[in-house]
Amino acid sequence: MTRHLIDVVDFNAAEINTILDLAEAPIGDLHQPLAGKGAALIFEKPSARTRHSMEMAVVQLGGHPVFTRGEEVGFDTRESVEDVARIMEGFHSVIAARVFSHSTVTRLAAVSSVPVVNMLSDHSHPLQAFADALTMRQNLGDLAGQTVAFVGDYNNVARSLAEISALLQMHVRLASPPGFEADDAELERILLLGAASVEQGSRPIDMVVGANAVHTDTWVSMGEEANKAEKLQKFEGFTVDDTMMAAAGANSIFMHCLPAYRGVEVSADVIDGPRSVVFQQGHNRMHAARGALAFLLGDNA
């Protein structure tokens, strides 16, 4: 049966750890599962990190990445999502898509005989979550029982981070202003994935106390620019600054999936300071993508 990477929860904890192990394995130890094969990388939404990390991951596994803009396939305008999948699977051994609607990647996966990878949707960002977990593991060691705090909008990035943290048995804390938080059913779902505990509050300083890793994300995501002024006002007081990191503790690390806006969701002192691991985290996007692709293609080196 073909495995896909649509959401973090497509994998159990043991499989996630295998993917992280593959991400750290020397490239020479992998078995070049894409040698002589192609990978379709379809981008409805532009990206720097995702494109470069995925293209290089494919190359490192011996494959040939084919970058395709969204308008070149025209999901449901030029061709149905399903027809695109059926055509691409005849050319490529992997189909990866960075899309607006989560239903696009689920529809691709429903008909594709080759692995489909969600490079980002409005619902989730699993590749980012694998890079996040890899970075936390490299800096903090075994993650079970440690505490991760996310400050900001409970968006696609936060959801995938919460999922992978729960599956790895971390304490999950979420700090969001009213109207931008996870609902009760979502909190229960995260807890049932295996989290040591799940907490949510509207006072970020309370949620970061003692956290081993403090994460944030831009408050205004791509496509939300029209509501920027209103959203910035509602997120006042949620900037991760030195005071917040001091509350987390001297050994905590700061993480951000980038791009970052200094002075908005994070202060320059924090993101450019000694506890920031954001560039290691960004570089791990390539390693995590390579590990995920190797796993999906049956390379368990």
Side-chain angles (χ1 to χ4, degrees), residues 49-128:
R49 276 157 297 281
T50 300
R51 178 177 179 181
H52 284 265
S53 62
M54 282 294 288
E55 287 198 10
M56 287 308 303
V58 170
V59 168
Q60 289 166 349
L61 295 176
H64 181 79
V66 179
F67 170 81
T68 305
R69 297 191 306 273
E71 61 267 29
E72 293 178 299
V73 294
F75 287 131
D76 289 335
T77 54
R78 296 186 70 242
E79 288 189 272
S80 71
V81 171
E82 290 76 13
D83 283 357
V84 171
R86 292 184 178 110
I87 285 295
M88 292 295 178
E89 70 181 5
F91 305 144
H92 301 286
S93 294
V94 174
I95 301 170
R98 181 177 169 92
V99 300
F100 287 98
S101 173
H102 191 69
S103 65
T104 300
V105 287
T106 60
R107 288 169 61 192
L108 287 169
V111 300
S112 176
S113 63
V114 302
V116 171
V117 176
N118 176 9
M119 296 192 294
L120 175 140
S121 70
D122 58 352
H123 178 77
S124 60
H125 199 353
L127 288 174
Q128 181 64 55

Coordinates of all heavy atoms in Angstrom, one line a residue, residues 49-128:
R49 N 12.4 28.3 1.4 CA 12.9 27.2 2.2 C 12.4 25.9 1.6 O 13.1 24.9 1.4 CB 12.6 27.3 3.6 CG 13.6 28.1 4.5 CD 12.9 28.6 5.7 NE 11.8 29.5 5.4 CZ 12.0 30.8 5.0 NH1 13.2 31.3 5.0 NH2 11.0 31.6 4.7
T50 N 11.1 25.8 1.3 CA 10.5 24.6 0.9 C 11.0 24.2 -0.5 O 11.3 23.0 -0.7 CB 8.9 24.7 0.8 OG1 8.4 25.0 2.1 CG2 8.3 23.4 0.4
R51 N 11.1 25.1 -1.4 CA 11.6 24.7 -2.7 C 13.1 24.2 -2.6 O 13.4 23.2 -3.2 CB 11.5 25.9 -3.7 CG 12.1 25.5 -5.1 CD 11.9 26.6 -6.1 NE 12.5 26.1 -7.4 CZ 12.6 26.9 -8.5 NH1 12.1 28.1 -8.5 NH2 13.2 26.4 -9.6
H52 N 13.9 25.0 -2.0 CA 15.3 24.6 -2.0 C 15.6 23.3 -1.2 O 16.3 22.5 -1.6 CB 16.2 25.8 -1.4 CG 16.4 26.9 -2.3 ND1 17.5 27.0 -3.1 CD2 15.6 28.0 -2.6 CE1 17.4 28.1 -3.9 NE2 16.2 28.7 -3.6
S53 N 14.9 23.2 0.0 CA 15.1 22.0 0.8 C 14.6 20.8 0.1 O 15.2 19.7 0.1 CB 14.4 22.2 2.1 OG 13.0 22.3 2.0
M54 N 13.4 20.8 -0.6 CA 12.9 19.7 -1.3 C 13.7 19.3 -2.5 O 13.9 18.1 -2.8 CB 11.4 19.9 -1.6 CG 10.5 19.7 -0.5 SD 10.4 18.0 0.1 CE 9.5 17.2 -1.2
E55 N 14.1 20.3 -3.3 CA 14.9 20.0 -4.5 C 16.2 19.3 -4.1 O 16.6 18.3 -4.7 CB 15.1 21.3 -5.3 CG 13.9 21.8 -6.0 CD 14.2 22.8 -7.2 OE1 15.4 22.9 -7.5 OE2 13.3 23.4 -7.7
M56 N 16.9 19.9 -3.1 CA 18.1 19.3 -2.7 C 17.9 17.9 -2.1 O 18.7 17.0 -2.3 CB 18.8 20.2 -1.7 CG 19.4 21.4 -2.4 SD 20.5 21.0 -3.8 CE 21.7 19.9 -3.1
A57 N 16.8 17.7 -1.3 CA 16.6 16.4 -0.7 C 16.4 15.3 -1.8 O 16.9 14.2 -1.8 CB 15.3 16.4 0.1
V58 N 15.7 15.7 -2.9 CA 15.5 14.8 -4.0 C 16.8 14.5 -4.7 O 17.1 13.3 -5.0 CB 14.5 15.4 -5.0 CG1 14.4 14.6 -6.3 CG2 13.1 15.5 -4.4
V59 N 17.6 15.5 -4.9 CA 18.9 15.3 -5.5 C 19.8 14.4 -4.7 O 20.5 13.5 -5.2 CB 19.6 16.7 -5.8 CG1 21.1 16.5 -6.2 CG2 18.9 17.5 -6.9
Q60 N 19.8 14.6 -3.4 CA 20.6 13.8 -2.5 C 20.2 12.3 -2.5 O 21.0 11.4 -2.2 CB 20.6 14.4 -1.1 CG 21.3 15.7 -1.0 CD 21.0 16.4 0.3 OE1 20.1 16.1 1.1 NE2 21.8 17.5 0.6
L61 N 18.9 12.1 -2.9 CA 18.4 10.7 -3.0 C 18.5 10.1 -4.4 O 18.0 9.1 -4.7 CB 17.0 10.6 -2.5 CG 16.8 10.9 -1.0 CD1 15.3 10.9 -0.6 CD2 17.6 9.9 -0.1
G62 N 19.3 10.9 -5.2 CA 19.5 10.4 -6.6 C 18.5 10.8 -7.6 O 18.6 10.4 -8.8
G63 N 17.5 11.6 -7.3 CA 16.4 11.9 -8.2 C 16.5 13.2 -8.9 O 17.5 14.0 -8.7
H64 N 15.6 13.5 -9.7 CA 15.5 14.7 -10.5 C 14.2 15.5 -10.1 O 13.1 15.1 -10.5 CB 15.5 14.5 -12.0 CG 15.5 15.7 -12.9 ND1 16.6 16.5 -13.1 CD2 14.4 16.3 -13.5 CE1 16.3 17.5 -13.9 NE2 15.0 17.4 -14.1
P65 N 14.4 16.6 -9.4 CA 13.2 17.4 -9.1 C 12.7 18.3 -10.2 O 13.5 18.9 -11.0 CB 13.7 18.3 -7.9 CG 15.1 18.5 -8.2 CD 15.6 17.2 -8.9
V66 N 11.4 18.3 -10.4 CA 10.8 19.1 -11.5 C 9.9 20.2 -10.8 O 8.8 19.8 -10.3 CB 10.0 18.3 -12.5 CG1 9.4 19.2 -13.6 CG2 10.9 17.3 -13.2
F67 N 10.4 21.4 -10.7 CA 9.6 22.5 -10.1 C 8.5 22.9 -11.1 O 8.7 23.1 -12.3 CB 10.5 23.7 -9.8 CG 9.7 24.9 -9.4 CD1 9.3 25.1 -8.1 CD2 9.5 25.9 -10.3 CE1 8.6 26.2 -7.7 CE2 8.8 27.1 -10.0 CZ 8.3 27.2 -8.7
T68 N 7.2 23.0 -10.6 CA 6.1 23.4 -11.4 C 5.3 24.4 -10.7 O 4.9 24.2 -9.5 CB 5.2 22.2 -11.7 OG1 6.0 21.1 -12.3 CG2 4.1 22.5 -12.7
R69 N 5.0 25.5 -11.3 CA 4.1 26.6 -10.7 C 2.7 26.1 -10.7 O 2.3 25.3 -11.6 CB 4.3 27.9 -11.4 CG 5.7 28.5 -11.3 CD 5.7 30.0 -11.8 NE 5.1 30.1 -13.1 CZ 5.8 29.9 -14.3 NH1 7.1 29.7 -14.2 NH2 5.2 30.0 -15.4
G70 N 1.9 26.6 -9.8 CA 0.5 26.2 -9.7 C -0.3 26.5 -10.9 O -1.1 25.6 -11.4
E71 N 0.0 27.6 -11.6 CA -0.7 27.9 -12.8 C -0.4 27.0 -14.0 O -1.1 26.9 -15.0 CB -0.5 29.4 -13.2 CG 0.9 29.8 -13.5 CD 1.6 30.3 -12.3 OE1 1.3 29.9 -11.2 OE2 2.5 31.2 -12.5
E72 N 0.7 26.3 -13.9 CA 1.1 25.4 -15.0 C 0.3 24.1 -14.9 O 0.1 23.5 -16.0 CB 2.6 25.1 -14.9 CG 3.5 26.3 -15.1 CD 5.0 25.9 -15.0 OE1 5.4 25.6 -13.9 OE2 5.7 26.1 -16.0
V73 N -0.2 23.7 -13.8 CA -1.1 22.6 -13.7 C -2.6 23.0 -13.6 O -3.5 22.4 -14.1 CB -0.8 21.6 -12.6 CG1 0.6 21.0 -12.8 CG2 -0.8 22.4 -11.2
G74 N -2.8 24.2 -13.0 CA -4.2 24.7 -12.9 C -5.1 23.7 -12.3 O -6.1 23.3 -12.9
F75 N -4.9 23.4 -11.0 CA -5.8 22.5 -10.3 C -7.3 23.0 -10.4 O -7.6 24.1 -10.0 CB -5.5 22.5 -8.8 CG -4.2 21.7 -8.5 CD1 -3.2 22.3 -7.6 CD2 -4.0 20.4 -9.0 CE1 -2.1 21.6 -7.3 CE2 -2.8 19.7 -8.6 CZ -1.9 20.3 -7.8
D76 N -8.1 22.2 -11.0 CA -9.5 22.4 -11.1 C -9.9 23.6 -12.0 O -11.1 24.0 -12.0 CB -10.2 22.5 -9.7 CG -10.3 21.2 -9.0 OD1 -10.3 20.1 -9.6 OD2 -10.3 21.2 -7.8
T77 N -8.9 24.1 -12.7 CA -9.2 25.1 -13.8 C -8.8 24.6 -15.1 O -9.6 24.4 -16.0 CB -8.5 26.4 -13.5 OG1 -7.1 26.2 -13.3 CG2 -9.1 27.1 -12.2
R78 N -7.5 24.2 -15.3 CA -7.0 23.6 -16.5 C -7.4 22.1 -16.5 O -7.8 21.5 -17.5 CB -5.5 23.7 -16.7 CG -5.1 25.2 -16.9 CD -3.6 25.3 -17.2 NE -3.4 24.8 -18.6 CZ -2.6 23.8 -18.8 NH1 -2.0 23.1 -17.8 NH2 -2.3 23.4 -20.0
E79 N -7.1 21.4 -15.3 CA -7.4 20.0 -15.1 C -7.8 19.8 -13.7 O -7.5 20.5 -12.8 CB -6.1 19.2 -15.4 CG -5.7 19.1 -16.8 CD -4.5 18.1 -16.9 OE1 -3.4 18.5 -16.8 OE2 -4.8 16.9 -17.2
S80 N -8.6 18.7 -13.5 CA -9.0 18.3 -12.2 C -7.7 17.9 -11.4 O -6.7 17.4 -12.0 CB -10.0 17.2 -12.2 OG -9.4 16.0 -12.6
V81 N -7.8 18.0 -10.1 CA -6.7 17.5 -9.2 C -6.4 16.1 -9.5 O -5.3 15.7 -9.6 CB -7.1 17.7 -7.7 CG1 -6.1 17.1 -6.8 CG2 -7.2 19.2 -7.4
E82 N -7.5 15.3 -9.7 CA -7.3 13.9 -9.9 C -6.6 13.6 -11.2 O -5.7 12.7 -11.2 CB -8.6 13.1 -9.8 CG -9.3 13.1 -8.5 CD -9.9 14.4 -8.0 OE1 -10.1 15.3 -8.8 OE2 -10.3 14.5 -6.8
D83 N -6.9 14.3 -12.2 CA -6.2 14.1 -13.5 C -4.8 14.5 -13.4 O -3.9 13.8 -14.0 CB -6.9 14.9 -14.6 CG -8.2 14.2 -15.1 OD1 -8.6 13.1 -14.6 OD2 -8.9 14.8 -16.0
V84 N -4.5 15.5 -12.7 CA -3.1 15.9 -12.5 C -2.3 14.8 -11.8 O -1.2 14.4 -12.3 CB -2.9 17.2 -11.7 CG1 -1.5 17.5 -11.3 CG2 -3.5 18.4 -12.5
A85 N -2.9 14.2 -10.8 CA -2.2 13.1 -10.1 C -2.0 12.0 -11.0 O -0.9 11.4 -11.0 CB -3.0 12.7 -8.9
R86 N -3.0 11.6 -11.8 CA -2.8 10.4 -12.6 C -1.8 10.6 -13.7 O -1.1 9.7 -14.2 CB -4.2 10.0 -13.2 CG -5.2 9.5 -12.1 CD -6.5 9.1 -12.8 NE -7.4 8.6 -11.8 CZ -8.5 9.2 -11.4 NH1 -8.8 10.4 -11.9 NH2 -9.3 8.7 -10.4
I87 N -1.7 11.8 -14.2 CA -0.6 12.1 -15.2 C 0.8 12.1 -14.6 O 1.7 11.5 -15.1 CB -0.9 13.5 -15.9 CG1 -2.1 13.4 -16.9 CG2 0.4 14.0 -16.6 CD1 -1.8 12.4 -18.1
M88 N 0.9 12.8 -13.5 CA 2.2 13.0 -12.8 C 2.7 11.6 -12.3 O 4.0 11.4 -12.4 CB 2.1 14.0 -11.7 CG 1.8 15.4 -12.1 SD 3.2 16.1 -13.0 CE 2.6 17.7 -13.4
E89 N 1.9 10.7 -11.9 CA 2.4 9.4 -11.4 C 3.0 8.6 -12.5 O 3.8 7.7 -12.2 CB 1.3 8.7 -10.7 CG 0.2 8.1 -11.7 CD -0.9 7.4 -11.0 OE1 -0.9 7.3 -9.7 OE2 -1.8 6.8 -11.7
G90 N 2.7 9.0 -13.8 CA 3.3 8.3 -14.9 C 4.7 8.8 -15.2 O 5.5 8.1 -15.9
F91 N 5.1 10.0 -14.7 CA 6.4 10.6 -14.9 C 7.3 10.5 -13.7 O 8.5 10.4 -13.9 CB 6.2 12.1 -15.2 CG 5.3 12.4 -16.4 CD1 4.5 13.6 -16.3 CD2 5.3 11.6 -17.5 CE1 3.7 13.9 -17.4 CE2 4.4 11.9 -18.6 CZ 3.6 13.1 -18.5
H92 N 6.7 10.5 -12.5 CA 7.5 10.7 -11.3 C 7.2 9.6 -10.3 O 6.2 8.9 -10.3 CB 7.1 12.0 -10.7 CG 7.4 13.2 -11.6 ND1 8.6 13.6 -11.8 CD2 6.5 14.0 -12.3 CE1 8.6 14.7 -12.7 NE2 7.3 14.9 -13.0
S93 N 8.2 9.4 -9.3 CA 8.0 8.5 -8.2 C 7.5 9.1 -7.0 O 7.2 8.4 -6.0 CB 9.4 7.8 -8.0 OG 9.8 7.0 -9.0
V94 N 7.4 10.5 -7.0 CA 6.9 11.2 -5.8 C 6.2 12.4 -6.4 O 6.6 13.0 -7.4 CB 8.0 11.7 -4.9 CG1 7.4 12.6 -3.8 CG2 8.7 10.6 -4.2
I95 N 5.0 12.8 -5.8 CA 4.3 14.0 -6.1 C 4.3 14.8 -4.8 O 3.8 14.3 -3.8 CB 2.9 13.8 -6.6 CG1 2.9 12.9 -7.9 CG2 2.2 15.1 -6.9 CD1 1.5 12.5 -8.3
A96 N 4.8 16.0 -4.8 CA 4.7 16.9 -3.6 C 4.1 18.2 -4.0 O 4.3 18.7 -5.1 CB 6.1 17.2 -3.1
A97 N 3.2 18.7 -3.1 CA 2.5 19.9 -3.5 C 2.4 20.9 -2.3 O 2.2 20.5 -1.2 CB 1.1 19.6 -4.0
R98 N 2.6 22.2 -2.6 CA 2.4 23.3 -1.6 C 1.2 24.0 -2.1 O 1.2 24.7 -3.1 CB 3.7 24.1 -1.6 CG 3.6 25.3 -0.6 CD 5.0 26.0 -0.6 NE 4.9 27.3 0.1 CZ 5.3 27.4 1.4 NH1 5.7 26.4 2.1 NH2 5.2 28.6 2.0
V99 N 0.1 24.0 -1.3 CA -1.2 24.4 -1.8 C -1.9 25.3 -0.9 O -1.5 25.5 0.3 CB -2.1 23.1 -2.1 CG1 -1.4 22.2 -3.1 CG2 -2.4 22.4 -0.8
F100 N -3.0 25.9 -1.4 CA -3.8 26.7 -0.5 C -4.8 25.8 0.3 O -4.9 25.9 1.5 CB -4.6 27.7 -1.4 CG -3.8 28.8 -1.9 CD1 -3.3 28.8 -3.2 CD2 -3.5 29.9 -1.1 CE1 -2.5 29.8 -3.7 CE2 -2.7 31.0 -1.6 CZ -2.2 30.9 -2.9
S101 N -5.5 25.0 -0.4 CA -6.5 24.1 0.3 C -6.0 22.7 0.6 O -5.5 22.0 -0.3 CB -7.8 24.0 -0.6 OG -8.7 23.1 -0.1
H102 N -6.2 22.3 1.8 CA -5.8 21.0 2.3 C -6.5 19.9 1.4 O -5.9 18.8 1.2 CB -6.1 20.8 3.7 CG -5.5 19.6 4.3 ND1 -4.2 19.5 4.6 CD2 -6.1 18.4 4.8 CE1 -3.9 18.3 5.1 NE2 -5.0 17.6 5.3
S103 N -7.7 20.1 1.0 CA -8.4 19.1 0.2 C -7.6 18.8 -1.1 O -7.8 17.7 -1.7 CB -9.8 19.6 -0.2 OG -9.8 20.7 -1.0
T104 N -6.8 19.7 -1.6 CA -6.0 19.4 -2.8 C -5.1 18.3 -2.6 O -5.0 17.3 -3.4 CB -5.3 20.7 -3.3 OG1 -6.2 21.7 -3.6 CG2 -4.5 20.4 -4.6
V105 N -4.3 18.3 -1.5 CA -3.4 17.2 -1.3 C -4.1 15.9 -0.9 O -3.6 14.8 -1.2 CB -2.3 17.6 -0.2 CG1 -1.3 18.6 -0.8 CG2 -2.9 18.1 1.1
T106 N -5.2 16.0 -0.2 CA -5.9 14.7 0.1 C -6.5 14.1 -1.1 O -6.5 12.9 -1.3 CB -7.0 15.0 1.1 OG1 -8.0 15.9 0.6 CG2 -6.5 15.5 2.5
R107 N -6.9 15.0 -2.1 CA -7.5 14.4 -3.4 C -6.3 13.8 -4.2 O -6.5 12.8 -4.9 CB -8.2 15.5 -4.1 CG -9.5 15.9 -3.5 CD -10.1 17.2 -4.1 NE -10.3 17.0 -5.5 CZ -10.6 18.0 -6.4 NH1 -10.6 19.3 -5.9 NH2 -10.8 17.8 -7.6
L108 N -5.2 14.5 -4.2 CA -4.0 13.9 -4.9 C -3.7 12.5 -4.4 O -3.5 11.6 -5.1 CB -2.8 14.8 -4.8 CG -2.8 16.1 -5.5 CD1 -1.6 17.0 -5.1 CD2 -2.6 15.9 -7.1
A109 N -3.7 12.4 -3.0 CA -3.3 11.2 -2.4 C -4.3 10.1 -2.7 O -4.0 8.9 -2.8 CB -3.1 11.4 -0.9
A110 N -5.6 10.5 -2.8 CA -6.7 9.5 -2.9 C -6.6 8.7 -4.2 O -7.0 7.5 -4.3 CB -8.0 10.2 -2.8
V111 N -5.9 9.2 -5.2 CA -5.9 8.5 -6.5 C -4.5 8.2 -7.0 O -4.3 7.5 -8.0 CB -6.6 9.4 -7.6 CG1 -8.0 9.6 -7.3 CG2 -5.9 10.7 -7.9
S112 N -3.4 8.7 -6.2 CA -2.1 8.5 -6.7 C -1.5 7.1 -6.2 O -1.7 6.7 -5.1 CB -1.2 9.6 -6.1 OG 0.2 9.4 -6.5
S113 N -0.8 6.5 -7.2 CA -0.1 5.2 -6.9 C 1.3 5.5 -6.4 O 2.0 4.5 -6.0 CB -0.1 4.3 -8.1 OG 0.7 5.0 -9.1
V114 N 1.8 6.7 -6.4 CA 3.1 7.1 -5.8 C 2.9 8.0 -4.6 O 1.8 8.6 -4.5 CB 4.0 7.8 -6.9 CG1 4.1 6.9 -8.1 CG2 3.4 9.1 -7.3
P115 N 3.9 8.0 -3.7 CA 3.7 8.9 -2.5 C 3.4 10.3 -2.8 O 4.0 10.9 -3.7 CB 5.0 8.7 -1.8 CG 5.6 7.4 -2.2 CD 5.1 7.3 -3.7
V116 N 2.5 10.9 -2.1 CA 2.1 12.3 -2.2 C 2.6 13.0 -0.9 O 2.3 12.5 0.2 CB 0.6 12.5 -2.4 CG1 0.3 14.0 -2.2 CG2 0.2 12.0 -3.8
V117 N 3.3 14.1 -1.0 CA 3.8 14.8 0.2 C 3.2 16.2 0.2 O 3.2 16.9 -0.8 CB 5.4 14.9 0.1 CG1 5.9 15.8 1.2 CG2 6.0 13.6 0.0
N118 N 2.7 16.5 1.4 CA 2.1 17.8 1.6 C 3.2 18.8 2.0 O 3.8 18.7 3.1 CB 1.1 17.8 2.8 CG 0.5 19.1 3.2 OD1 0.8 20.1 2.5 ND2 -0.2 19.1 4.2
M119 N 3.6 19.7 1.1 CA 4.7 20.7 1.4 C 4.1 21.9 2.1 O 4.9 22.8 2.5 CB 5.4 21.1 0.1 CG 6.1 19.9 -0.6 SD 7.2 20.5 -1.9 CE 6.1 21.2 -3.1
L120 N 2.8 22.0 2.3 CA 2.1 23.0 3.1 C 0.7 23.1 2.6 O 0.5 23.1 1.4 CB 2.8 24.4 3.1 CG 2.0 25.5 3.8 CD1 3.0 26.4 4.6 CD2 1.2 26.3 2.8
S121 N -0.2 23.2 3.5 CA -1.6 23.5 3.2 C -2.2 24.4 4.2 O -1.5 24.7 5.2 CB -2.5 22.2 3.1 OG -2.6 21.7 4.4
D122 N -3.4 24.8 4.1 CA -4.0 25.7 5.1 C -4.3 25.0 6.4 O -4.5 25.6 7.4 CB -5.3 26.4 4.5 CG -6.3 25.3 4.1 OD1 -6.1 24.1 4.1 OD2 -7.5 25.8 3.8
H123 N -4.2 23.7 6.4 CA -4.5 22.9 7.6 C -3.2 22.4 8.3 O -3.2 22.4 9.5 CB -5.3 21.6 7.2 CG -5.6 20.7 8.3 ND1 -6.6 21.0 9.3 CD2 -5.0 19.5 8.7 CE1 -6.6 20.0 10.2 NE2 -5.7 19.2 9.9
S124 N -2.2 22.1 7.6 CA -1.0 21.6 8.2 C 0.3 21.8 7.4 O 0.3 22.1 6.2 CB -1.2 20.1 8.4 OG -1.4 19.4 7.2
H125 N 1.4 21.6 8.1 CA 2.7 21.8 7.6 C 3.6 20.7 8.1 O 4.5 21.0 8.9 CB 3.3 23.2 7.9 CG 4.4 23.7 7.0 ND1 5.0 22.8 6.1 CD2 5.0 24.9 6.9 CE1 6.0 23.5 5.5 NE2 6.0 24.7 6.0
P126 N 3.4 19.5 7.7 CA 4.1 18.3 8.4 C 5.6 18.4 8.2 O 6.4 18.0 9.1 CB 3.5 17.1 7.7 CG 2.9 17.6 6.4 CD 2.5 19.0 6.7
L127 N 6.1 18.8 7.0 CA 7.6 18.8 6.8 C 8.3 19.8 7.8 O 9.4 19.5 8.3 CB 7.9 19.2 5.4 CG 7.6 18.1 4.3 CD1 7.9 18.6 2.9 CD2 8.5 16.8 4.6
Q128 N 7.6 20.9 8.1 CA 8.1 21.8 9.0 C 8.2 21.2 10.4 O 9.1 21.3 11.2 CB 7.3 23.1 9.1 CG 7.7 24.1 10.1 CD 9.1 24.7 9.7 OE1 9.3 25.2 8.6 NE2 10.1 24.6 10.6

